Amino acid sequence: MRLVVTGGAGFIGANFVHTVIREHPDAHVTVLDSMTYAANRASLDGLPADRVDLVEADCANPESTGRLVGELTGPRDAVVHFAAESHNDNSLATPWPFVHSNIIGTYAVLEACRRHDVRLHHVSTDEVYGDLQLDDPAKFTPATAYNPSSPYSATKAGADMLVRAWVRSFGVRATLSNCSNNYGPRQHVEKFIPRQITTILTGGRPRLYGSGANVRDWIHVDDHNAAVLAILDRGEPGRTYLIGADGERSNLDVMQLLCELMDHDGFDHVTDRPGHDLRYAIDATATRDELGWRPQHTDLREGLRQTIDWYRENRAWWEPVKERVEAQYARTERVL
Ligand code: NAD
Ligand code: DAU
């Protein structure tokens, strides 16, 4: 099995490559990554050089993407498309890279898969569905209408629409998945959970947007990637699969849990994110029933404990970028 994994030097993609190499002894992976600020070469450390290549290129470049996809000729070969600009706060400050990577990048990947008749799995987000009220009994399902709020989620929604159109119009053999908030090792320190962990480890005060009432539906990155592998194996082309682990928690709850686990006192409430989505919640029943996939890391406290340990033990992975990330936040963030 040969896979081209776009965005494979980022958080979820790199963890996916580690899982594939560990669980599929016959697999070879080519990581296609433009190595933006969000990528980290060290995330691919420890992988066998004869089974993993890193090609530094923009997936929106039709020549390099077409060449790599054209090398996939076996019946189980596929492209797994993780590459994207992924951080909402950045999309509010500078939207263009989101349009480029998420929409033009997905277009180029689709055209390459169409030309070479290669199977594609497109990795997307629950944010395409917009947000829910705190007391809404309904969760997102594959039938929920798209209603994205931010430049990030709007470009992911646009990418999903391109994939659906290429399936219907050109018969591209693509599946889609929309997953909730991931946590785990190798996540960039700009994101909520690693930001607070690394802030405490460097002697600072954690930062909660607004009151912290916003709810996210947390899933461990390994559970997300296990679902992606199940879709590659047993998913039906043209279908959308929702991935979530019934892990709804308010940001305030998660903050308090992190402080407790790290034996830390006190955090600051800071200016809220403009247009901040209130709540996400995934109904993954269809994915569970049809693919037999089940999340394994359902104890958030234990998952966070292991994640904290990972950041404690891997300071060289995140320390070089921590100061720059905090300086960027400091330009707009005010303590309330
Ligand atoms: P990330 O920002 O950690 O990594 C993204 C990777 O894509 C980086 O390595 C970056 O260099 C690469 N990249 C960006 N633009 C590129 C381009 N034009 N060409 C090639 N490579 C490019 O993101 P992540 O959190 O790992 O998210 C991966 C995917 O999963 C994204 O598509 C995201 O929308 C989706 N997703 C993320 C979450 C989450 O909670 N993080 C949840 C659901 C879905
Ligand atoms: O739902 C899936 C999405 O989850 C993915 O598509 C995105 O790529 C991923 O970044 C994530 O988006 P969020 O915006 O939910 O994640 P983030 O880690 O940025 O923030 C999580 C919540 O925590 C959100 O409500 C904002 C809040 N927050 C964030 C930061 C960075 C804080 O309260 N303080 C912070 O310092």
Side-chain angles (χ1 to χ4, degrees), residues 164-205:
R164 290 176 180 203
W166 261 241
V167 168
R168 176 158 172 171
S169 305
F170 305 124
V172 168
R173 293 178 290 133
T175 40
L176 299 91
S177 58
N178 298 79
C179 186
S180 60
N181 282 65
N182 286 219
Y183 75 96
R186 308 184 181 92
Q187 186 170 28
H188 197 278
V189 299
E190 68 190 353
K191 302 284 172 30
F192 179 52
I193 288 175
R195 185 182 182 203
Q196 314 316 325
I197 294 172
T198 55
T199 292
I200 293 173
L201 290 176
T202 47
R205 280 176 71 80

Side-chain angles (χ1 to χ4, degrees), residues 3-55:
L3 299 176
V4 168
V5 177
T6 74
F11 164 46
I12 306 175
N15 281 292
F16 179 79
V17 177
H18 281 271
T19 300
V20 167
I21 293 300
R22 197 173 54 243
E23 293 182 2
H24 292 268
D26 64 327
H28 182 280
V29 174
T30 300
V31 170
L32 164 56
D33 199 301
S34 57
M35 303 307 286
T36 68
Y37 79 93
N40 193 331
R41 270 172 206 278
S43 294
L44 301 173
D45 281 355
L47 291 166
D50 59 336
R51 296 181 58 205
V52 180
D53 302 322
L54 169 61
V55 176

Side-chain angles (χ1 to χ4, degrees), residues 10-12 33-34 36 58-59 82 86 101 124 152 156 180 182:
F11 164 46
I12 306 175
D33 199 301
S34 57
T36 68
D58 182 347
C59 70
F82 290 97
S86 70
S101 286
S124 190
Y152 163 66
K156 290 296 292 186
S180 60
N182 286 219

Side-chain angles (χ1 to χ4, degrees), residues 185 220 297 301-311 313:
H220 193 279
H297 304 267
R301 170 182 284 268
E302 184 48 33
L304 288 179
R305 197 193 305 279
Q306 288 172 13
T307 303
I308 292 165
D309 285 347
W310 190 88
Y311 282 92
E313 288 157 15

Side-chain angles (χ1 to χ4, degrees), residues 85-89 124-127 152 156 179-182 187 189-196 207-210 212 214-216 218 251 255 270 273 276-278 280 329 333:
E85 287 290 337
S86 70
H87 192 35
N88 274 297
D89 292 326
S124 190
T125 170
D126 59 357
E127 297 197 17
Y152 163 66
K156 290 296 292 186
C179 186
S180 60
N181 282 65
N182 286 219
Q187 186 170 28
V189 299
E190 68 190 353
K191 302 284 172 30
F192 179 52
I193 288 175
R195 185 182 182 203
Q196 314 316 325
R207 299 290 174 108
L208 188 64
Y209 292 176
N214 305 64
V215 169
R216 295 295 182 265
W218 293 100
N251 293 340
M255 180 68 96
V270 295
R273 173 185 284 172
H276 197 172
D277 279 344
L278 185 54
Y280 308 134
Y329 275 123
E333 214 168 67

Side-chain angles (χ1 to χ4, degrees), residues 210-232:
S211 67
N214 305 64
V215 169
R216 295 295 182 265
D217 188 357
W218 293 100
I219 182 171
H220 193 279
V221 63
D222 288 345
D223 283 330
H224 179 182
N225 283 330
V228 170
L229 280 167
I231 296 166
L232 272 180

Side-chain angles (χ1 to χ4, degrees), residues 49-319:
D50 59 336
R51 296 181 58 205
V52 180
D53 302 322
L54 169 61
V55 176
E56 185 171 341
D58 182 347
C59 70
N61 179 322
E63 283 78 37
S64 43
T65 297
R67 181 175 53 76
L68 293 177
V69 173
E71 288 168 7
L72 301 177
T73 51
R76 293 167 61 226
D77 293 359
V79 176
V80 187
H81 181 41
F82 290 97
E85 287 290 337
S86 70
H87 192 35
N88 274 297
D89 292 326
N90 293 343
S91 83
L92 296 164
T94 319
W96 164 245
F98 289 76
V99 175
H100 173 79
S101 286
N102 302 2
I103 296 187
I104 315 289
T106 301
Y107 162 76
V109 168
L110 280 165
E111 281 292 81
C113 290
R114 168 159 87 116
R115 192 170 335 118
H116 298 287
D117 188 22
V118 168
R119 166 92 163 85
L120 168 67
H121 181 68
H122 171 69
V123 178
S124 190
T125 170
D126 59 357
E127 297 197 17
V128 298
Y129 299 116
D131 61 354
L132 297 163
Q133 291 306 305
L134 294 178
D135 60 355
D136 193 330
K139 295 184 173 191
F140 301 138
T141 74
T144 305
Y146 275 37
N147 186 25
S149 320
S150 73
Y152 163 66
S153 51
T155 56
K156 290 296 292 186
D160 291 11
M161 292 301 164
L162 292 181
V163 177
R164 290 176 180 203
W166 261 241
V167 168
R168 176 158 172 171
S169 305
F170 305 124
V172 168
R173 293 178 290 133
T175 40
L176 299 91
S177 58
N178 298 79
C179 186
S180 60
N181 282 65
N182 286 219
Y183 75 96
R186 308 184 181 92
Q187 186 170 28
H188 197 278
V189 299
E190 68 190 353
K191 302 284 172 30
F192 179 52
I193 288 175
R195 185 182 182 203
Q196 314 316 325
I197 294 172
T198 55
T199 292
I200 293 173
L201 290 176
T202 47
R205 280 176 71 80
R207 299 290 174 108
L208 188 64
Y209 292 176
S211 67
N214 305 64
V215 169
R216 295 295 182 265
D217 188 357
W218 293 100
I219 182 171
H220 193 279
V221 63
D222 288 345
D223 283 330
H224 179 182
N225 283 330
V228 170
L229 280 167
I231 296 166
L232 272 180
D233 188 40
R234 305 186 284 287
E236 201 182 306
R239 289 282 304 279
T240 290
Y241 297 89
L242 264 54
I243 306 172
D246 298 320
E248 281 189 74
R249 293 287 185 111
S250 73
N251 293 340
L252 178 62
D253 276 358
V254 174
M255 180 68 96
Q256 287 169 337
L257 189 48
L258 288 171
C259 289
E260 183 199 321
L261 290 169
M262 297 186 76
D263 202 13
H264 174 87
D265 241 354
F267 54 85
D268 293 328
H269 291 267
V270 295
T271 31
D272 209 350
R273 173 185 284 172
H276 197 172
D277 279 344
L278 185 54
R279 172 176 166 237
Y280 308 134
I282 287 274
D283 178 351
T285 309
T287 306
R288 287 172 179 250
D289 290 353
E290 289 173 37
L291 302 178
W293 164 83
R294 298 280 180 281
Q296 303 298 314
H297 304 267
T298 47
D299 180 344
L300 182 65
R301 170 182 284 268
E302 184 48 33
L304 288 179
R305 197 193 305 279
Q306 288 172 13
T307 303
I308 292 165
D309 285 347
W310 190 88
Y311 282 92
R312 271 207 184 99
E313 288 157 15
N314 290 277
R315 292 184 80 112
W317 186 91
W318 55 267
E319 267 176 343

